[in-house]
Amino acid sequence: MNLKNKKKKDWRFHIAHKEAIIGVILVIINFIWWYGFAYGLGSKDVSEYHYIFGLPAWFFYSCVVGFIVMVVLVVFAVKAFFKDVPFDDEEEGSI
Amino acid sequence: MNWQVLIPLVLFLVIIFIAGLYASRHLTSSASFLQEYFLGSRQLGGFILAMTMIATYGSAGSFIGGPGAAYNIGLAWVLLAMSQVVTGYFVLMILGKKFAIMARKYNAITLIDFLKERYQSKWVSIIAAISIIVFLFSSMAAQWVGGARLIESVIGIPYITALMIFAASVLIYVIIGGFRAVAITDSIQGVVMLIGTIVLLVATIIAGGGIDGIVQTLRNENPNLLTPYGNDHSLTPLYISSFWILVGVGVVGLPQVAVRAMSYKNARAMHRAIIIGTIVVGMIMLGMHLIGVFARAVVPGIEIGDKVMPTVALKVLPGWLAGIVLAAPMAAIMSTVDSLLILVSSAVVKDLYISYVNPSASENNVKWTSFIVTAVVGVSVFALAIHPPNLLIWLNLYAFGGLESVFIWPIVLGLYWEKGNKFGALSSMLVGMTSYMIFDKFHPNFLGMNTVVFPIILSFLCYVAVSLATKPVIAEMD
């Protein structure tokens, strides 16, 4: 292992750590959305429920829209922030 | 015997079998037998990676137990199931590049190889191997029972015969093809799972007279089915949220999932897999569990939860199409069992046999040992499944929680916290495992949360406290 090699790895780990943090942030957003709509709208009496496309509004926003929102956020995060890095330390020939 | 249903199912088995055979050809052309047999030579592309992760994770629980629970509990169970969308992106983002780079650096083939190199400890690897073998063995048996019961109830052949057909079809391609066969068949199985879910959801909605009509029927029967609190209003927000740990973020600690984060070709494959994985896992989980809820309006009065999915498929679809749709739970079960089988085999061969019994084994010796161990493990699980225990979903979740408590911190903190050492890892694994068993026996759902929560907290505290208290063994991380 030479010094140059070490520097290269630091560079890759920096990116890896950043991407792991993005993962944690996405989970927090996901949870807040999921929990907020489910219990924010779902805690009233069933007789007061609103319905969207036939589904109770809490469920529609929490589970259906929430899922779509997460897909959009994940695609955005990957396209905007995730970087292509080599995994092998050096080209070691074919494995 | 139901021929219309049987023909598509048999066709499905044949296709899987051919795919497995095709994959086995790589074994002869590959430079390293172990790399190829247990890790597919780290060559998975984005689509296959996404599919094998979902298919491995999506099991009898998602396709049989889950819809059954949703049938009885209502939309609250779909809410709970949606915490699994997280698995689509979180596992790959957290383990992600760091794990891929470290695994290559350590030349690790199994998860245990990684732990052994990271902690430089024999005991860490031995305890890890034992946990994998014990927990995944019972998990495999549960899956197999689910598969055989499904064939029994759908096609009307005796349980034992169903079990044999099922076991034989999985065992052969895993034994001869290894990890690559598992990953390739997983992809086909994942596609079948997705298509089956969509077809059945649409057919169930049509049969129930539209979502409006179905929801109306459910409200008339029991309004609680439409609330996030469950049919008897007993599920608290805290309880449902605690499943985010068991089936959401905690999945990072499942060895069968984590090992896949060592297997991909390059960063682009990982990026694609994150996107595909999130979309597919969300659609399957939302669809399958909604089917369970809607089925209550279409086929009321089903007593056994596990029969909901097959019953509704046979009821709302023509025979041949039901056969195709019922290939989905079969696919889910096969794709989980095959992954567990190759993982247990790798723990026995690579982590016990080569490490401690016969370190100087020749390539040929290793090859035959691998084939034989895989076969013996598979056949023993088959034997265990002959007299099956009840309540599939809980058995399945039992292995889940136990493994997560053992592995999550040694993996995650091992990657990201340089001060973590072997004493921390060892104590956190032991505390994770024993506290999980104690909580499960004496205080399941302690303080109103899923059993897994406290063992995971305890093992975290243990890892950090013991690592800080003992002499730091600085990991070679950069």
Side-chain angles (χ1 to χ4, degrees):
Chain A
M1 297 262 163
N2 52 38
L3 254 169
K4 213 170 152 193
N5 206 349
K6 282 195 174 180
K7 255 192 179 155
K8 190 172 127 199
K9 259 179 273 167
D10 283 345
W11 163 74
R12 290 183 302 172
F13 284 159
H14 179 71
I15 289 173
H17 291 186
K18 203 181 91 184
E19 292 177 3
I21 291 170
I22 292 173
V24 174
I25 294 170
L26 284 173
V27 167
I28 294 169
I29 297 172
N30 194 347
F31 180 81
I32 293 172
W33 185 289
W34 172 92
Y35 189 97
F37 278 108
Y39 295 102
L41 297 175
S43 297
K44 6 180 209 199
D45 196 80
V46 180
S47 58
E48 293 169 33
Y49 275 8
H50 290 282
Y51 296 86
I52 299 166
F53 294 113
L55 294 164
W58 72 263
F59 181 82
F60 181 76
Y61 286 117
S62 172
C63 295
V64 181
V65 179
F67 167 49
I68 295 166
V69 166
M70 283 321 294
V71 168
V72 171
L73 286 180
V74 165
V75 172
F76 172 74
V78 168
K79 299 276 181 212
F81 304 122
F82 278 52
K83 294 207 170 63
D84 196 355
V85 301
F87 289 154
D88 290 305
D89 286 354
E90 281 165 85
E91 292 304 311
E92 293 169 19
S94 58
I95 300 174
Chain B
M1 207 163 296
N2 193 338
W3 289 103
Q4 270 190 312
V5 179
L6 188 63
I7 291 166
L9 282 178
V10 169
L11 210 64
F12 167 71
L13 284 181
V14 171
I15 292 171
I16 293 297
F17 196 75
I18 292 170
L21 282 182
Y22 164 78
S24 73
R25 294 188 320 172
H26 282 274
L27 268 181
T28 43
S29 62
S30 164
S32 160
F33 174 81
L34 280 175
Q35 283 264 6
E36 172 61 31
Y37 195 71
F38 293 126
L39 211 52
S41 304
R42 298 187 217 274
Q43 286 300 311
L44 299 196
F47 178 76
I48 293 187
L49 175 62
M51 285 313 200
T52 187
M53 289 198 104
I54 295 162
T56 297
Y57 174 71
S59 59
S62 327
F63 280 79
I64 307 289
Y71 183 90
N72 289 317
I73 292 164
L75 287 178
W77 203 258
V78 190
L79 177 69
L80 185 153
M82 285 310 278
S83 59
Q84 297 171 95
V85 172
V86 171
T87 60
Y89 58 91
F90 188 71
V91 174
L92 277 177
M93 285 185 178
I94 289 296
L95 298 180
K97 287 171 185 151
K98 187 91 184 238
F99 196 43
I101 295 166
M102 297 307 287
R104 278 167 169 79
K105 195 157 111 69
Y106 292 154
N107 203 16
I109 290 170
T110 63
L111 176 66
I112 298 169
D113 278 343
F114 165 77
L115 295 174
K116 193 165 128 196
E117 283 297 317
R118 168 65 179 80
Y119 295 108
Q120 296 294 323
S121 161
K122 177 170 103 174
W123 286 106
V124 169
S125 69
I126 290 177
I127 290 176
I130 291 171
S131 328
I132 284 180
I133 293 165
V134 169
F135 280 117
L136 290 189
F137 205 84
S138 58
S139 183
M140 255 191 286
Q143 296 293 317
W144 239 319
V145 171
R149 280 217 186 121
L150 182 71
I151 299 180
E152 184 190 30
S153 73
V154 171
I155 305 173
I157 52 177
Y159 178 77
I160 267 280
T161 320
L163 193 63
M164 260 151 84
I165 296 174
F166 202 67
S169 54
V170 176
L171 271 178
I172 292 170
Y173 75 73
V174 178
I175 293 169
I176 61 174
F179 187 89
R180 191 185 296 262
V182 169
I184 289 176
T185 53
D186 277 5
S187 307
I188 301 170
Q189 286 152 345
V191 171
V192 170
M193 285 155 69
L194 181 63
I195 294 172
T197 303
I198 295 168
V199 170
L200 187 55
L201 179 62
V202 171
T204 308
I205 291 173
I206 294 171
I211 298 177
D212 281 315
I214 292 172
V215 169
Q216 183 91 46
T217 311
L218 295 175
R219 191 171 49 205
N220 292 342
E221 191 203 330
N222 176 2
N224 283 335
L225 290 168
L226 302 182
T227 69
Y229 298 96
N231 59 326
D232 54 4
H233 222 268
S234 65
L235 300 178
T236 65
L238 180 67
Y239 178 74
I240 290 192
S241 300
S242 71
F243 276 80
W244 274 66
I245 294 179
L246 182 70
V247 296
V249 294
V251 170
V252 165
L254 287 181
Q256 66 269 38
V257 174
V259 73
R260 280 163 170 66
M262 295 166 50
S263 67
Y264 45 90
K265 200 163 30 176
N266 52 35
R268 277 198 311 282
M270 172 197 152
H271 299 167
R272 278 193 70 193
I274 290 174
I275 294 173
I276 298 171
T278 307
I279 296 171
V280 175
V281 80
M283 287 174 78
I284 289 177
M285 291 306 165
L286 182 61
M288 254 307 137
H289 291 84
L290 263 183
I291 289 167
V293 176
F294 290 171
R296 198 173 183 89
V298 180
V299 266
I302 301 175
E303 302 267 322
I304 299 165
D306 287 356
K307 294 213 161 138
V308 169
M309 198 270 176
T311 311
V312 73
L314 291 171
K315 165 96 180 176
V316 302
L317 294 168
W320 63 274
L321 196 53
I324 295 175
V325 165
L326 286 168
M330 294 250 298
I333 293 163
M334 288 169 79
S335 58
T336 301
V337 169
D338 62 13
S339 311
L340 300 186
L341 185 57
I342 199 73
L343 185 65
V344 170
S345 172
S346 79
V348 176
V349 175
K350 179 76 177 56
D351 305 316
L352 295 179
Y353 178 73
I354 297 179
S355 296
Y356 302 109
V357 182
N358 188 1
S360 57
S362 69
E363 181 89 1
N364 210 29
N365 181 324
V366 168
K367 198 169 187 167
W368 282 102
T369 310
S370 304
F371 292 149
I372 292 166
V373 166
T374 312
V376 168
V377 171
V379 172
S380 340
V381 175
F382 168 75
L384 197 83
I386 291 174
H387 290 294
N390 268 331
L391 272 177
L392 188 77
I393 187 168
W394 293 116
L395 233 173
N396 195 22
L397 288 183
Y398 186 85
F400 249 68
L403 280 169
E404 287 176 0
S405 316
V406 170
F407 284 103
I408 187 165
W409 302 117
I411 297 175
V412 174
L413 292 178
L415 277 177
Y416 291 103
W417 193 47
E418 286 171 36
K419 290 195 179 117
N421 65 21
K422 63 177 172 186
F423 306 108
L426 208 53
S427 57
S428 107
M429 291 169 98
L430 288 171
V431 165
M433 187 190 281
T434 47
S435 66
Y436 187 83
M437 286 171 166
I438 292 168
F439 272 107
D440 189 70
K441 187 144 176 56
F442 298 106
H443 275 292
N445 306 331
F446 185 59
L447 298 182
M449 286 183 273
N450 182 279
T451 313
V452 80
V453 175
F454 286 97
I456 282 191
I457 294 173
L458 287 175
S459 65
F460 173 79
L461 295 176
C462 229
Y463 186 103
V464 175
V466 174
S467 289
L468 288 176
T470 50
K471 224 173 90 185
V473 183
I474 297 298
E476 195 204 323
M477 292 185 74
D478 40 35

